[in-house]
Amino acid sequence: MADLAGFNANEVEPASEWEPVPAGQYVAVITASEMKATKAGTGRYLELTLQIVDGAYQGRLLWSRINLENPNATAVEMGRAELSAVCRAVGVMTPRDSAELHDIPMLVTVKVKKRDDTGDFTNEIRGYAPKASAVPATPTSGGAPWKRS
């Protein structure tokens, strides 16, 4: 249980339902990272929390799970390739700790995907690139949610 003494919902606007951000490229930074055990308990993945840092979707969070330890060698190979893309995007080629990847702006390519289990739509990160090396594409709906710098 948690102590909620002093909280009054009448004084706070309720949170609205979150919709996925539109597909496109966004400037984001990794704000947190943690190694976690897979659901089956047979491996581990690196969970990254990313935050969009500019434009209309500034402050929105995205997550990526990078499979680094798994009995399936193909899954590990794909995970290591994704981690390599993250490292190249932030310019840290030989990190000793995932915290070294934090707070460095990069471009992330985001897709919208329908979940098989619930049918809800969710975001999925499909690519990482250095911020300076690419020109962001406009999301498929709405205007450009970032500023060029």
Side-chain angles (χ1 to χ4, degrees), residues 67-88:
N67 209 338
L68 296 176
E69 297 175 17
N70 193 289
N72 182 328
T74 301
V76 172
E77 182 179 324
M78 291 170 58
R80 291 174 57 83
E82 184 174 352
L83 181 56
S84 176
V86 170
C87 289
R88 292 166 193 271

Side-chain angles (χ1 to χ4, degrees), residues 35-45 65 67-72:
M35 285 297 286
K36 294 185 173 184
T38 59
K39 189 184 297 187
T42 58
R44 296 186 329 149
Y45 61 90
R65 293 180 174 177
N67 209 338
L68 296 176
E69 297 175 17
N70 193 289
N72 182 328

Side-chain angles (χ1 to χ4, degrees), residues 26 52 54-60 143-147:
Y26 299 93
I52 297 173
D54 207 359
Y57 298 97
Q58 182 175 351
R60 291 290 300 271
W146 54 84
K147 299 175 202 163

